Amino acid sequence: ETRGAPGRERAIVVERGILTPGRTSTPRCRFQARKIKMADGELRTEIGMEEWKSKLSKQKTPRKVIDGIVMNYLVVNGYKNVAAAFVKDSGMKPDVPLESIQNRMDIRKAVFEGNIPKVIEKVNDLNPDILGSQPKLYFLLQQQRMIELIRQGPEKISECLGFARRELAPRAAENEQFLEDMERVMALLAFPDPSKSAVGHLLSYEQRQKVVSAVNTAILTSQCQSTDPRLLFLLRQLAFTQSQLQERIKLGFPIIRDFKEATFCTMDEEKTANKIQKENSGPKQS
């Protein structure tokens, strides 16, 4: 809601809704905004950085809500020990018994130890239908098993080739995506130091985390539990809301561009960053 003549500073009222279990609150925040004439002649309302931060600092989210988001994140991602410590510290009770997280913790540990046969065994013990009904996940695990063999060095080349013929090639022959994935893994064998090759990322921590996430999601789905933590939903909602305020309501305000660092940038900084990104993503001159 805006008031005042164009071209002058004016008040803008923004409604912020917080959805919590059993209740919804919509506090109203009044900002002093000003009209900015853009390069294309369009008028846009802008809120300054200092006022934005000042108003945000006065918006208090109940500790119970924050603790609930943290607990949900720990449970969904299988951090049982951290969740147990958080229960003692905060008194927040998880939605599911912490004992139910143990299987996912054991599987996570096995992945990061490179013990994929143990991962497959534990998943099958938990629910044989998980891998039986998800060929993509099973291929991912077999592919990771191949990667772990390559990680052990040149003396495992013969074993790697035999494993690829038995386990990967038959499935890759029936699926184009599987074939591309297998070729990337096989490319690791062509380099004296695979970790420094163009496909060296397959030997990284992130690759193992990718496997953990895929297995974790499959297990949670089989148990009819949420596969994404609420925190991820809130971040997506924040990104969507920011874009809608900018594009549809024509409201300029400090936004969070980098969610990892959680730092604000002004409208001008956002425009500059978008311009640089567009230039870098454009066709390269030969």
Side-chain angles (χ1 to χ4, degrees):
E1 178 185 341
T2 58
R3 300 184 181 90
R8 299 179 181 177
E9 288 200 350
R10 58 186 187 163
I12 180 169
V13 178
V14 178
E15 288 198 344
R16 181 178 64 91
I18 302 176
L19 183 62
T20 58
R23 68 192 181 100
T24 302
S25 61
T26 54
R28 295 163 66 86
C29 309
R30 185 180 297 275
F31 294 91
Q32 287 298 320
R34 61 194 181 102
K35 276 288 189 178
I36 301 294
K37 190 171 184 179
M38 309 301 289
D40 58 4
E42 181 183 42
L43 289 177
R44 179 185 288 264
T45 302
E46 182 179 18
I47 301 170
M49 177 73 79
E50 290 186 10
E51 185 180 8
W52 186 256
K53 287 187 175 181
S54 174
K55 294 294 185 181
L56 285 182
S57 68
K58 297 174 183 177
Q59 302 303 308
K60 305 299 182 183
T61 301
R63 178 62 182 268
K64 186 176 181 180
V65 173
I66 297 176
D67 287 349
I69 293 171
V70 173
M71 178 59 74
N72 173 261
Y73 179 86
L74 296 174
V75 169
V76 170
N77 286 287
Y79 297 113
K80 178 188 174 185
N81 295 336
V82 181
F86 190 67
V87 169
K88 293 180 180 179
D89 180 63
S90 65
M92 173 61 62
K93 294 182 180 179
D95 296 332
V96 298
L98 292 183
E99 290 71 22
S100 67
I101 305 175
Q102 188 60 52
N103 287 320
R104 290 188 286 129
M105 277 190 64
D106 293 342
I107 289 170
R108 177 188 178 86
K109 184 173 182 288
V111 171
F112 281 107
E113 289 175 346
N115 192 345
I116 305 304
K118 184 177 180 180
V119 173
I120 294 174
E121 178 184 354
K122 283 191 166 295
V123 172
N124 283 332
D125 288 344
L126 192 62
N127 186 342
D129 292 336
I130 293 177
L131 296 181
S133 62
Q134 298 192 47
K136 184 177 179 180
L137 177 61
Y138 184 70
F139 187 84
L140 177 65
L141 288 172
Q142 295 291 48
Q143 172 185 286
Q144 189 64 29
R145 186 174 177 182
M146 173 84 168
I147 291 171
E148 299 302 341
L149 286 173
I150 295 173
R151 195 191 301 274
Q152 295 176 40
E155 63 274 11
K156 290 290 184 177
I157 288 181
S158 295
E159 187 175 348
C160 287
L161 295 175
F163 181 81
R165 282 195 299 269
R166 292 192 313 272
E167 301 294 341
L168 300 183
R171 293 174 175 82
E174 301 174 355
N175 187 300
E176 185 175 347
Q177 184 59 56
F178 289 176
L179 179 60
E180 293 178 7
D181 293 341
M182 186 186 79
E183 289 173 346
R184 277 194 289 271
V185 173
M186 297 297 291
L188 289 168
L189 296 172
F191 298 93
D193 186 352
S195 64
K196 296 181 180 179
S197 68
V199 288
H201 63 277
L202 294 173
L203 297 169
S204 68
Y205 170 92
E206 287 73 20
Q207 173 63 23
R208 283 176 167 173
Q209 182 59 54
K210 175 184 175 182
V211 174
V212 168
S213 297
V215 175
N216 193 54
T217 296
I219 293 173
L220 288 172
T221 300
S222 72
Q223 296 174 343
C224 299
Q225 295 185 43
S226 173
T227 59
D228 289 330
R230 293 172 196 157
L231 178 61
L232 181 58
F233 168 78
L234 291 172
L235 290 175
R236 289 171 178 165
Q237 188 178 50
L238 173 59
F240 175 75
T241 302
Q242 287 185 156
S243 66
Q244 291 297 295
L245 286 172
Q246 287 183 315
E247 297 169 11
R248 298 184 62 180
I249 305 180
K250 307 301 181 186
L251 176 64
F253 59 97
I255 70 166
I256 298 178
R257 180 179 178 84
D258 185 342
F259 290 118
K260 184 177 180 181
E261 298 296 331
T263 53
F264 288 103
C265 68
T266 63
M267 187 169 66
D268 288 339
E269 291 170 339
E270 171 71 0
K271 285 171 59 181
T272 301
N274 287 337
K275 182 179 179 181
I276 293 174
Q277 184 178 18
K278 186 176 180 181
E279 290 175 349
N280 292 337
S281 62
K284 296 181 179 180
Q285 299 294 329
S286 57

